[in-house]
Amino acid sequence: MSNHEEKDISPGMVTLLASATGLIVASLYYAQTLVGPISAATGLSPEAAGLIVTLTQIGYCIGLLFIVPLGDLLENRRLIFTGLLFTSAMLVLAAVSTSAWMFLTAALGIGLGSVAAQIVVPFAAHLSKESTRGVTVGKVVSGLLLGIMLSRPAASLIADATSWHVVFAGAAVVVLMVAFVLRAKLPQRMPNHHISYPKLMASVWHLFLQTPVLRRRAAYHAGLFGSFSLFWTVTPLMLASPAFHLSQTGIAIFALVGMAGAIASPIAGKLADQGHTLMATAAALALGVIAFALPLLVPGSRNVALAILVIASIVLDMGVAANLVLGQRAIFSLGAEVRSRLNGVYFALFFAGGAVGSALGGWMYATHGWHGALLTGMAFNGAALLYWVTEYLGHTSDQRKPAVDLS
């Protein structure tokens, strides 16, 4: 083995990539808690206010499917840098928006550009040794999840103190700084591919059809991420309701406490490196079910109910963090030459699950109340767990098959 092959990613580089992915992906979520003031300032009707979040997610899904696969074709560092310059420009457009069309254009652009984070994650896998890849990906994904979880309370607190314009202007500066730091610190990575873009995109569909591991891992995480999106869509509404009477600052603190669940990422990565992916997946999906069962089964006074809800948020975030890493570790082991395409499809599919979860959660909460929303969230995770049982049965069946006697 050559010295180059033995070399592993440095702790400093892992910290840099984890921080970068968190700061990039946070751009997707700032608007979620600011829909009210943004729609009021830009003249967007209450019926159309949901487009602020929806267009960002649509932009992200388009980017995952059509931009992230370019990580297998173009030089990665330049691709990340270009994507982040575009994201920063779109954040500036959001900050100065005075009309609905300006902000909605910016929202779509922010989603498109932020997929640079999903070129950074396979980059971390590429820089890692096989034996430590799960732990490395786990740490980088911890950063990504912290970015998701921190963005909402940070946006609420900054907007309360100043205005929503400051949130997006500040984010534009942060993303621009990340772009230049990554350009200075990342090594060049030129993929070994020389095929055309149309052929590259055709291969994405082929990979989806020919890779059962990708389809299975995406289905597991679509269930968990769907319930996660549902939870964080309806829980702030519940916390602000007469049942809890929490202020925006109180809800922000609640969201900050839930971040503790991100600690599960490196643990899951270590379990995957040790070959325990199957059972670790069951544990992650079970955590998702438990998170929704707790508030249903343990009602109590306001303070007890709030404490149970805090525990539920941490348990759910642990399940999501662990399962995301287990999935990425599994698909990244399928080959460096297809890593970006696999990652793009994986994220696009489970983000679609997230979009369904948040839309369904809002509707269930409005029509069937808090318990209806909790049961729906539990159903997302229950369906994923039932699907896992088919993998477990297949695995045990393979183990029971007698060895072929070649004598």
Side-chain angles (χ1 to χ4, degrees):
M1 192 182 279
S2 71
N3 287 337
H4 173 72
E5 288 173 323
E6 286 174 357
K7 197 174 178 187
D8 198 9
I9 188 168
S10 69
M13 181 61 79
V14 174
T15 303
L16 171 64
L17 296 182
S19 305
T21 51
L23 291 168
I24 297 164
V25 88
S27 302
L28 296 168
Y29 295 94
Y30 294 130
Q32 287 197 351
T33 53
L34 306 176
V35 168
I38 291 169
S39 49
T42 58
L44 203 60
S45 70
E47 294 80 17
L51 284 174
I52 290 171
V53 175
T54 305
L55 278 172
T56 308
Q57 298 285 24
I58 287 171
Y60 198 64
C61 280
I62 291 169
L64 287 167
L65 290 173
F66 296 99
I67 297 172
V68 170
L70 287 169
D72 291 332
L73 191 64
L74 304 178
E75 200 280 305
N76 283 197
R77 186 176 67 181
R78 187 183 300 166
L79 188 59
I80 292 164
F81 182 68
T82 307
L84 294 183
L85 291 185
F86 178 78
T87 307
S88 183
M90 290 296 104
L91 287 162
V92 169
L93 181 62
V96 300
S97 290
T98 52
S99 66
W101 73 265
M102 273 178 78
F103 193 89
L104 293 177
T105 301
L108 186 70
I110 290 165
L112 271 173
S114 296
V115 297
Q118 296 314 323
I119 303 164
V120 173
V121 178
F123 208 120
H126 167 73
L127 293 173
S128 303
K129 289 196 300 187
E130 172 66 26
S131 59
T132 59
R133 188 167 292 143
V135 173
T136 300
V137 170
K139 287 174 181 172
V140 174
V141 169
S142 288
L144 183 143
L145 288 167
L146 286 173
I148 293 174
M149 294 169 194
L150 267 172
S151 56
R152 297 182 185 98
S156 288
L157 295 171
I158 293 167
D160 275 352
T162 54
S163 81
W164 65 267
H165 298 279
V166 174
V167 174
F168 289 94
V173 173
V174 168
V175 169
L176 194 63
M177 287 168 61
V178 170
F180 281 96
V181 170
L182 289 180
R183 191 174 74 160
K185 297 291 185 183
L186 283 179
Q188 282 196 315
R189 185 188 172 236
M190 190 69 211
N192 238 346
H193 274 297
H194 304 287
I195 60 172
S196 66
Y197 182 69
K199 283 185 178 173
L200 182 82
M201 293 314 302
S203 71
V204 169
W205 177 243
H206 179 75
L207 277 172
F208 173 73
L209 293 177
Q210 301 298 319
T211 316
V213 172
L214 171 63
R215 296 197 301 272
R216 186 171 279 280
R217 296 307 320 187
Y220 292 156
H221 209 64
L224 256 176
F225 199 68
S227 74
F228 175 84
S229 297
L230 181 150
F231 184 90
W232 288 107
T233 299
V234 301
T235 302
L237 298 174
M238 184 63 180
L239 293 174
S241 75
F244 292 100
H245 269 308
L246 286 195
S247 65
Q248 275 297 110
T249 302
I251 293 168
I253 293 166
F254 177 90
L256 285 170
V257 175
M259 290 187 338
I263 59 162
S265 290
I267 298 166
K270 186 168 276 191
L271 288 170
D273 285 339
Q274 292 168 355
H276 302 307
T277 297
L278 185 65
M279 298 317 293
T281 300
L285 296 173
L287 286 173
V289 174
I290 291 164
F292 285 89
L294 282 171
L296 274 172
L297 301 175
V298 195
S301 66
R302 178 189 178 275
N303 290 345
V304 172
L306 187 57
I308 293 295
L309 212 46
V310 167
I311 294 165
S313 75
I314 294 170
V315 169
L316 179 61
D317 288 354
M318 284 178 72
V320 172
N323 197 61
L324 179 56
V325 173
L326 293 167
Q328 287 192 294
R329 177 69 173 83
I331 63 172
F332 286 168
S333 65
L334 298 174
E337 69 284 352
V338 292
R339 220 167 255 157
S340 286
R341 278 168 285 175
L342 291 171
N343 196 50
V345 175
Y346 177 59
F347 265 77
L349 290 171
F350 81 67
F351 257 84
V356 171
S358 53
L360 195 57
W363 182 80
M364 285 299 291
Y365 183 75
T367 55
H368 298 283
W370 175 237
H371 281 195
L374 288 175
L375 287 168
T376 307
M378 196 189 295
F380 269 88
N381 294 316
L385 196 53
L386 284 173
Y387 186 40
W388 173 86
V389 171
T390 65
E391 183 182 5
Y392 177 74
L393 293 174
H395 180 74
T396 51
S397 160
D398 288 344
Q399 285 187 324
R400 285 195 196 117
K401 283 178 185 171
V404 178
D405 187 0
L406 299 174
S407 59

